[in-house]
């Protein structure tokens, strides 16, 4: 029974020939040749009863019927199209950046890719590549040094001009985060300093993405912390990989539970002990909106000096990295009359 051909891959190649073509079908064992139009293939290998690999001979541009020759009769034909070789042109590289370790799957777009025999990144051959069509190639980047690498495609028509680039990115490094604490509600803007921070795709506080971030330069990013609790080390993700973590922790909002004493004279100078929670990062104490001097004794205690003011109640608050506490009432008492 004559062999049959079901598929041909690739289905086109340059007029100069030399394209390796795979034919799949049935009954191929014992085949004696492969013919492209009226021209015999210069070589072929019967891989199995269902597959032959062959090399296209030179021919004029246009469609050629491909058949398998067999002692029992020739196969059906499938079409292989010969195209005029042209110098390839690379117009797009996506993604355009990746780690120096290589391994990035890149799609090249352009023209004249048929019959491509080589794809290089900075002169280094791609780990692998596949010619999908005359206008598209997918390739895997080889390892490379930090910086721009020319992407070149070579076909029987020549090598593309050095007009397309892939940028190898170093692994980002973080050296500091300022401030390194913020409220559990989030919203604090943190300045991250380091290196190789360009093209960052994410900034993470623990496992949570920053609410927003801006890449200021290769050495600085500003990011808005999302809500969170406890220790949440910050990392930055770029095409070069994920950075080392830098410390950031969330501070709960302060609370006040008592003032001792809770009243005093209208004159300044009364030392008041404020008791509550989450007071260790106190940055301000106010009496009726007036900032006063204070001392942080512990995470649960602050002493402050009441300012002078008119008789009557005022709200006392403490502000920390975690926010501002609800107010407790301190009452100024006028001196007794004569």
């Amino acid at each position: 029974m004559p062999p049959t051909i079901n598929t041909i891959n690739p289905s086109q190649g340059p007029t100069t020939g030399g394209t390796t073509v795979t034919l799949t079908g049935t009954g191929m064992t014992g085949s004696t040749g492969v013919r492209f139009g009226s021209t015999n293939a210069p070589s072929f290998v019967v891989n199995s009863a269902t597959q032959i690999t062959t090399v296209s001979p030179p021919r004029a541009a246009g469609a050629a019927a491909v058949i398998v020759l067999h002692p029992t009769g020739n196969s059906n034909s499938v079409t292989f199209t010969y195209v005029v070789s042209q110098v390839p042109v690379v117009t797009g590289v996506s993604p355009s950046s990746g780690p120096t370790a290589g391994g990035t799957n890149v799609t090249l777009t352009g023209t004249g890719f048929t019959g491509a025999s080589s794809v290089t990144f900075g002169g280094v051959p791609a780990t692998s590549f596949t010619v999908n069509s005359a206008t598209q190639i997918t390739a895997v980047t080889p390892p490379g040094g930090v910086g721009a690498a020319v992407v070149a495609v070579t076909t029987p028509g020549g090598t593309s001009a050095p007009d397309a680039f892939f940028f190898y990115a170093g692994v980002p490094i973080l050296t500091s985060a300022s401030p390194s604490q913020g409220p559990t509600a989030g919203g604090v803007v943190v300045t991250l300093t380091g290196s190789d921070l360009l093209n960052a795709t994410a900034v993470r506080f623990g496992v949570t993405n920053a609410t927003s971030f801006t890449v200021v330069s290769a050495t600085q990013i500003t990011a808005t912390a999302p809500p969170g609790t406890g220790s949440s080390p910050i990392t930055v993700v770029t095409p070069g990989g994920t950075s080392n973590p830098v410390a950031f922790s969330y501070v709960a909002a302060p609370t006040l539970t008592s003032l001792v004493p809770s009243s005093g004279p209208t004159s300044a100078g009364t030392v008041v002990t404020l008791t509550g929670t989450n007071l260790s990062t106190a940055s301000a104490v106010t009496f009726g909106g007036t900032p006063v001097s204070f001392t942080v004794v512990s995470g649960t205690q602050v002493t402050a000096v009441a300012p002078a003011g008119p008789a009557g109640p005022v709200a006392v608050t403490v502000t920390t990295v975690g926010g501002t506490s609800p107010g407790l009432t301190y009452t100024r008492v006028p001196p007794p009359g004569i």
Side-chain angles (χ1 to χ4, degrees):
M1 179 179 294
T4 60
I5 304 175
N6 296 327
T7 62
I8 180 171
N9 185 44
S11 61
Q12 63 177 14
T15 55
T16 52
T19 302
T20 298
V21 176
T22 300
L23 305 175
T24 57
T26 60
M28 295 184 174
T29 301
S31 295
T32 57
V34 177
R35 187 172 293 162
F36 287 70
S38 59
T39 307
N40 289 334
S43 65
F44 72 96
V45 176
V46 179
N47 302 313
S48 68
T50 60
Q51 186 181 86
I52 288 176
T53 53
T54 186
V55 177
S56 64
R59 276 185 64 86
V66 178
I67 61 172
V68 173
L69 308 180
H70 196 275
T72 62
N74 296 338
S75 72
N76 60 301
S77 66
V78 291
T79 300
F80 182 85
T81 302
Y82 281 91
V83 294
V84 176
S85 298
Q86 63 183 104
V87 177
V89 176
V90 181
T91 57
V93 180
S94 180
S96 61
S97 58
T100 56
T104 302
N105 290 304
V106 177
T107 298
L108 309 180
T109 52
T111 58
F113 292 162
T114 300
S117 57
S118 172
V119 175
T120 59
F121 291 77
V124 180
T127 302
S128 64
F129 71 91
T130 301
V131 180
N132 302 315
S133 68
T135 60
Q136 186 183 85
I137 289 175
T138 51
V140 178
T141 61
V146 173
V150 172
V151 180
V153 174
T154 299
T155 72
T159 299
S160 60
D163 297 329
F165 299 89
F166 180 85
F167 295 87
Y168 283 100
V171 177
I173 296 173
L174 290 179
T175 55
S176 67
S178 180
S180 60
Q181 294 179 312
T184 56
V188 66
V189 176
V190 179
T191 298
L192 303 173
T193 303
S195 59
D196 292 315
L197 304 181
L198 290 177
N199 300 314
T201 56
V203 175
R204 294 177 180 148
F205 288 69
V207 296
T208 306
N209 286 340
T211 303
S212 63
F213 69 91
T214 301
V215 178
V216 179
S217 67
T219 60
Q220 189 177 91
I221 290 176
T222 56
T224 302
T229 58
S231 175
S232 295
I234 302 173
T235 55
V236 172
V237 180
T238 73
T242 299
S243 74
N244 59 296
V246 290
F248 183 86
S249 58
Y250 286 97
V251 178
T255 64
L256 290 178
T257 56
S258 68
L259 304 177
V260 178
S262 61
S263 62
T266 55
S267 59
T270 301
V271 176
V272 180
T273 299
L274 289 64
T275 302
T277 60
N278 306 314
L279 305 181
S280 61
T281 62
S283 57
V285 176
T286 62
F287 281 67
T290 301
V292 301
S293 62
F294 67 93
T295 300
V296 176
V297 178
S298 68
T300 60
Q301 193 175 88
V302 171
T303 58
V305 179
V314 293
V316 179
T317 63
V318 176
T319 299
T320 71
V321 171
T324 298
S325 70
L328 282 185
T329 300
Y330 176 82
T331 304
R332 294 193 184 97
V333 180
I338 298 175

